[in-house]
Amino acid sequence: MADQATNAPQVAIPLPPAKKRAVQAGCVCMMLSVAMYGLVFATLTSPILESVDAMGYVSLFTIFASLGVSIMTPIGGKLGDLIGRRNIVVIPGIICAVAGCAFAFVRSLVPLMVLRLLIGFAQGAFTAAPYIIAGLINERKDVPKAMGMLATAIAVGGFGGSIIAGILTDMGLLTVAILMPAVPLIAGVLLIGLNLPNVKREGKVQIDVAGICALVVALCGILLALNFGSSVGWGNPAIIGGFVVGIAAVVAFIKIEEKAVEPLIPLRLFGNQQYTMLLVIGFICYFYTTAMNTYAPIGAMKVLGASTGLAGSLQFPRTILTMVLPTVAGVWVGKKSANAWKAMAIGTLLVAVPMLALGFTNAAMPIAVYFVAITVTGVAESFRAVSITPTAQATLPPADMGVGTSLVNFVNSLANTIAAAVFGVAYNLNTAADPTNAALIQNGVCAVFMTAAVVTFVGFLLVIFVIRPKLQPKEM
């Protein structure tokens, strides 16, 4: 009893050990499912659309997925505060599982698009919940370790999910491959639903409907314009119109949030300078991933002359590393608060250096350089995963834990979309004269990686000169 009394104030939602283990296992299952859905759909997009004779809709199909997640991540975080964290896992989790199962049996384009968008919306609603729950049921010193377990789950789910999905599809079991991610999702819903108390805001629930509408319009306008701008032209009236509508909606959203009783994103969060800077660091840490995922294979195949199979295996060592290292890094970060800024420094510097190395891509470069560079980013990713979110949570009052954590995830997801547009411009400026010319492709790839290196090195400087002074004194 004495131990419980001692530990209770340090944990927002105290749980008996068995229930705590069950909830943490549920969080791991949820992240396994999220990663599996992402990589399974990435792997199976072509077979799925080929089955309905709709290969011309690949880009729209992909955008629908990211758009749903981007829109619902901040909304889900706030709804979790209002209706309870358990409910925001169980209800969207069930919707996602049902939509995912239905997706496996539908063979018509429009219903497939609707279901893919619905899956994205449902995932966005609960994606931040495991990170929030980890911060609520654990003592602060144990949160980085819990985050490391979630990062490991993402690596395992993505890696294993894509391989198994590919094997099943090759065996003619496309339906089974699509159904597969629902298994850990249902397990996670049950584990959390049966063991986590539904702590929610007392009194009448007031949902910021106007803020939700403004946010949806803002994200749709800006994200769709960013996605289609490089293909249809940035001067296209529709693209310009999308940016204008999106920016106008952002202005409207800010005005609505200033007056809302229960704002979707409390603007007071941005008055917390340390939290705001951590949002910036998180954005920067995710910025390079589009360069790695999209342009590293292009550089390997079109400049270095690697085979498609070899280019496809570039991330294999990195993935293996991120299955193991995050949990170890989380234990280390949890030992001292000062280790958090050191982890962020590793998370930025060990991206900037590999990106700089790839910025000198040329035909004489050994493919081993690509393998080593990308593997090193796995070290960075492992330390990023266990440092930024726990540190951001530590700056927030309990009432803002949900929406604050969701905002971190939201900013991270936006980084990929904005980076895709920035890298697209850098690449297209160098290859516009002849997109098939190897020399121009080399210039384009180098420009992309140099851009990623510069942006990430700026993040390293922010960690050293802004974040470090705020965290270091705690150990003095």
Side-chain angles (χ1 to χ4, degrees), residues 45-172:
T45 293
S46 293
I48 291 169
L49 293 182
E50 282 177 351
S51 69
V52 295
D53 193 26
M55 282 300 292
Y57 292 88
V58 171
S59 62
L60 188 61
F61 189 83
T62 305
I63 290 168
F64 271 17
S66 61
L67 194 61
V69 172
S70 296
I71 288 172
M72 281 305 299
T73 296
I75 295 174
K78 185 61 180 180
L79 290 179
D81 290 338
L82 299 178
I83 68 174
R85 202 65 53 197
R86 184 180 66 192
N87 285 346
I88 209 62
V89 167
V90 172
I91 297 172
I94 292 173
I95 292 172
C96 184
V98 171
C101 291
F103 193 97
F105 298 98
V106 170
R107 289 298 178 265
S108 179
L109 179 61
V110 174
L112 282 175
M113 289 291 188
V114 172
L115 287 170
R116 188 66 190 98
L117 186 61
L118 184 59
I119 291 169
F121 274 116
Q123 282 185 320
F126 68 71
T127 293
Y131 296 97
I132 299 168
I133 292 170
L136 295 174
I137 68 173
N138 287 290
E139 295 184 35
R140 181 178 174 185
K141 65 181 178 61
D142 295 325
V143 173
K145 179 181 177 181
M147 296 294 178
M149 294 170 62
L150 297 181
T152 297
I154 292 173
V156 172
F159 179 65
S162 60
I163 290 177
I164 296 172
I167 293 172
L168 290 172
T169 303
D170 290 340
M171 295 171 60

Side-chain angles (χ1 to χ4, degrees), residues 298-361:
I298 292 175
M301 290 186 291
K302 301 299 184 182
V303 181
L304 275 59
S307 66
T308 302
L310 190 59
S313 65
L314 286 174
Q315 292 194 37
F316 180 77
R318 179 187 193 273
T319 303
I320 298 299
L321 186 64
T322 53
M323 289 181 182
V324 180
L325 187 56
T327 302
V328 177
V331 173
W332 176 72
V333 170
K335 289 181 177 179
K336 292 194 300 183
S337 61
N339 287 348
W341 76 260
K342 297 174 185 176
M344 292 179 217
I346 294 170
T348 47
L349 186 62
L350 293 190
V351 169
V353 172
M355 291 297 105
L356 179 63
L358 298 184
F360 293 96
T361 294

Side-chain angles (χ1 to χ4, degrees), residues 22 203 226:
L226 283 172

Side-chain angles (χ1 to χ4, degrees), residues 361-386:
T361 294
N362 60 78
M365 177 180 283
I367 190 66
V369 174
Y370 267 61
F371 274 98
V372 172
I374 291 174
T375 300
V376 170
T377 68
V379 179
E381 171 61 21
S382 299
F383 282 90
R384 177 213 62 78
V386 301

